[in-house]
Amino acid sequence: MYWLQILLYGVYAYFGLGLIFGLWFVFKGAEQIDENMHGATWPTRLLLLPASIALWVVLLNKGLKQKKHGS
């Protein structure tokens, strides 16, 4: 039964970190990855929030690679 609690806390931690990253990404980080996000309205950015929470590891990796290569 303890493994189930550990798994559940891991899921909570993943989505908790995803929420923090997602809020930052939607309002600041998306512009670094995609130039077309400049001037996007806040409702458009809010539509990206659920996906950025779920896929925060992939987006973080992409942002770090892009920053490392300077593109």
Side-chain angles (χ1 to χ4, degrees), residues 7-62:
L7 180 65
L8 188 61
Y9 288 141
V11 170
Y12 288 157
Y14 180 86
F15 283 111
L17 289 171
L19 179 62
I20 294 167
F21 175 82
L23 289 171
W24 171 82
F25 178 78
V26 166
F27 293 105
K28 297 286 182 190
E31 293 177 357
Q32 295 175 358
I33 292 177
D34 187 2
E35 296 169 357
N36 294 325
M37 285 300 295
H38 291 289
T41 61
W42 68 269
T44 303
R45 293 175 183 268
L46 224 51
L47 287 172
L48 296 174
L49 187 60
S52 63
I53 290 172
L55 301 173
W56 71 271
V57 175
V58 175
L59 293 171
L60 179 63
N61 189 23
K62 184 172 182 167

